[in-house]
Amino acid sequence: SQQGEEDPQALSIQEGENATMNCSYKTSINNLQWYRQNSGRGLVHLILIRSNEREKHSGRLRVTLDTSKKSSSLLITASRAADTASYFCATDRNFGNEKLTFGTGTRLTIIP
Amino acid sequence: EADIYQTPRYLVIGTGKKITLECSQTMGHDKMYWYQQDPGMELHLIHYSYGVNSTEKGDLSSESTVSRIRTEHFPLTLESARPSHTSQYLCASSEVGGHTQYFGPGTRLTVL
């Protein structure tokens, strides 16, 4: 089973609506990151939230982290067609070891 | 855009061929990584390096090998390609102590 699992696997919304995707993980973490991947491309880092933080904002992105539930959510407000991509959460498990474990991803489609 | 490059971007080869996937970064990062990703699926770490002459196997067993003779260069080699090696290969790098990974555009490999 995966350290990180995103939910839902796929999401389609109208442009302008908000998109929320969730990530669950199994072991203790130091921080959790969200990455975006456009089709057939590499990943781009979006935001990092540390284990002692509960919420973080960056532009139209809002990330929450609940370490008691081992879960995180990514909210994209006022979605745009350019937000169409796959979104992955990634956790690093061991202090001082920056290896990341990626989740299964949420495929987001914004309908113009 | 991150300064990390992968060549070739697409490669179609026959079974039994030896191939090398190139990855170079100009950011001076000590840590570099290779991931394997099937379409629409999560990333699996197959190799990583913490610096020159340092290479380690990742979480997913792979028949590929890597070398790290120069900081900026982290090539991946398959001695004898098979159809089961068909996948996308993503290279990434990060600073020592840094949590964010910077990804190249990927190499999509098809073995016939």
Side-chain angles (χ1 to χ4, degrees):
Chain A
S1 61
Q2 298 302 315
Q3 163 74 341
E5 295 188 4
E6 279 90 336
D7 168 55
Q9 288 188 324
L11 177 64
S12 291
I13 61 173
Q14 295 290 136
E15 191 168 20
E17 294 180 340
N18 296 340
T20 300
M21 52 205 91
N22 305 294
C23 167
S24 60
Y25 56 92
K26 292 180 169 57
T27 63
S28 296
I29 61 171
N30 292 314
N31 58 66
L32 184 143
Q33 303 178 56
W34 285 90
Y35 286 80
R36 183 186 73 213
Q37 184 180 35
N38 289 91
S39 181
R41 304 286 297 182
L43 279 71
V44 174
H45 177 259
L46 295 175
I47 194 167
L48 178 150
I49 186 165
R50 301 189 188 283
S51 59
N52 61 354
E53 297 177 310
R54 292 296 167 259
E55 187 171 314
K56 199 162 184 180
H57 297 256
S58 177
R60 294 185 296 114
L61 306 180
R62 172 179 168 254
V63 170
T64 63
L65 179 64
D66 186 334
T67 53
S68 66
K69 295 181 180 178
K70 292 187 170 57
S71 68
S72 173
S73 68
L74 172 67
L75 168 68
I76 303 174
T77 60
S79 63
R80 305 167 182 169
D83 294 329
T84 293
S86 291
Y87 292 82
F88 293 87
C89 67
T91 56
D92 66 335
R93 289 164 286 170
N94 303 309
F95 181 77
N97 178 341
E98 286 85 27
K99 286 196 299 178
L100 297 180
T101 300
F102 286 83
T104 51
T106 292
R107 173 68 189 169
L108 175 65
T109 301
I110 307 300
I111 303 167
Chain B
E1 291 287 325
D3 295 321
I4 180 164
Y5 310 97
Q6 291 185 243
T7 57
R9 290 294 316 282
Y10 303 92
L11 180 61
V12 181
I13 60 168
T15 296
K17 299 291 186 183
K18 177 181 178 179
I19 61 166
T20 296
L21 307 185
E22 302 288 348
C23 175
S24 295
Q25 50 95 7
T26 58
M27 297 174 283
H29 289 168
D30 284 316
K31 296 190 173 185
M32 296 189 74
Y33 312 84
W34 275 104
Y35 293 90
Q36 184 175 340
Q37 182 188 30
D38 291 326
M41 303 295 287
E42 67 266 40
L43 282 73
H44 293 286
L45 181 68
I46 53 175
H47 297 283
Y48 62 100
S49 168
Y50 285 157
V52 171
N53 295 325
S54 153
T55 61
E56 301 285 345
K57 289 191 179 295
D59 301 323
L60 180 68
S61 176
S62 173
E63 294 165 345
S64 58
T65 59
V66 292
S67 63
R68 190 86 184 276
I69 298 172
R70 302 198 316 264
T71 298
E72 63 270 24
H73 196 212
F74 191 39
L76 181 147
T77 299
L78 275 168
E79 290 293 333
S80 179
R82 297 206 301 270
S84 60
H85 296 139
T86 293
S87 191
Q88 174 159 257
Y89 293 83
L90 293 166
C91 181
S93 70
S94 67
E95 297 175 305
V96 172
H99 300 286
T100 299
Q101 292 188 9
Y102 299 87
F103 283 80
T107 293
R108 186 168 296 279
L109 173 66
T110 301
V111 184
L112 304 175

